[in-house]
Amino acid sequence: MSIVIFALILLLAFAPAALGWFYINRRGVKLRVYFALVFLGGGVLSLAFAAFAQAFLPEIYLETGIESIFFEFLRTAFLEEVSRFIVLSICFTLVRRVFRVTLNNALASSGGLLAGLSFAALETAAHAATETGALLTRALSAAPLHGACGLRCAQSANCVKGSPVKALGRFASAAALHGFYNLMIPRGGLSSALAIILAISSLISGLRPINNAANE
């Protein structure tokens, strides 16, 4: 694959992240360019952390059943969400201490959305580099999924000190959503459709703090 084609794939893969940034600005969230770049970079870093952690997990082939499903959940959904949570927590600390910015729900959620969409963009580009037909499918499914999970992990990281129970609930919802998506999407047909619908509806519901930015 030529560099030009890969660059085009990468550009198309990041289109949802660009749309996310545009949406955030349209909703009146004052997310400055360097803040946005921190969170976009955070999404890339969280993907690298997850891949690094997954590389140390042994390959285990189990009979079809609860054990296999649970292992795959730990290997993919849980590890990726833990990585996302850790990196977003670091990003929030950086923004608070270096830029002296108070993160309200709208700003934190905006950062999580961008981090999730940049995570999805790199994943999509990697898949599309070997299977170009996967670009559109993943843009319609993986981007909403990671955007929704990014929103929930950001909301969790932003309230973990003041409301740890709520933070745990938001993180658990991200991990559960991701795990359900991974379980259903390979089945095809109605199962895949339900997974995509759930990802999109979860993204929409997670946008509430951004939509209410004018009231904060």
Side-chain angles (χ1 to χ4, degrees):
M1 178 178 291
S2 70
I3 295 178
V4 174
I5 293 176
F6 182 73
L8 181 59
I9 288 174
L10 197 62
L11 182 64
L12 292 173
F14 268 93
L19 288 174
W21 195 344
F22 175 78
Y23 180 83
I24 289 167
N25 288 324
R26 289 288 294 176
R27 299 309 298 178
V29 180
K30 297 179 181 179
L31 188 70
R32 297 182 180 179
V33 173
Y34 46 87
F35 292 166
L37 292 177
V38 166
F39 293 122
L40 287 169
V44 174
L45 186 60
S46 64
L47 177 61
F49 278 4
F52 181 78
Q54 288 165 349
F56 283 90
L57 285 180
E59 292 287 346
I60 299 177
Y61 299 95
L62 300 170
E63 297 293 332
T64 301
I66 298 300
E67 297 87 353
S68 179
I69 293 173
F70 183 70
F71 178 75
E72 285 304 314
F73 169 78
L74 287 177
R75 183 179 182 84
T76 53
F78 184 75
L79 271 181
E80 288 185 8
E81 297 313 318
V82 167
S83 173
R84 199 187 323 266
F85 176 86
I86 292 172
V87 171
L88 281 171
S89 297
I90 294 171
C91 288
F92 289 168
T93 300
L94 178 67
V95 168
R96 289 189 185 104
R97 295 185 178 180
V98 176
F99 300 114
R100 304 294 181 182
V101 172
T102 300
L103 284 168
N104 57 23
N105 288 333
L107 278 173
S109 297
S110 298
L113 176 63
L114 290 180
L117 291 176
S118 67
F119 185 111
L122 284 186
E123 249 194 3
T124 296
H127 281 83
T130 56
E131 185 185 353
T132 54
L135 182 59
L136 180 59
T137 302
R138 289 193 61 83
L140 294 175
S141 60
L145 169 74
H146 287 291
C149 291
L151 284 163
R152 283 159 175 76
C153 280
Q155 291 157 10
S156 174
N158 196 43
C159 72
V160 68
K161 290 183 178 180
S163 183
V165 174
K166 180 180 178 181
L168 179 60
R170 299 306 286 172
F171 175 82
S173 68
L177 170 63
H178 198 156
F180 178 81
Y181 175 91
N182 286 353
L183 177 65
M184 300 298 287
I185 204 73
R187 297 173 181 265
L190 181 59
S191 296
S192 295
L194 287 174
I196 294 172
I197 290 171
L198 179 61
I200 294 173
S201 61
S202 297
L203 173 62
I204 294 171
S205 66
L207 290 171
R208 190 174 297 111
I210 298 174
N211 295 333
N212 295 335
N215 300 325
E216 293 197 13

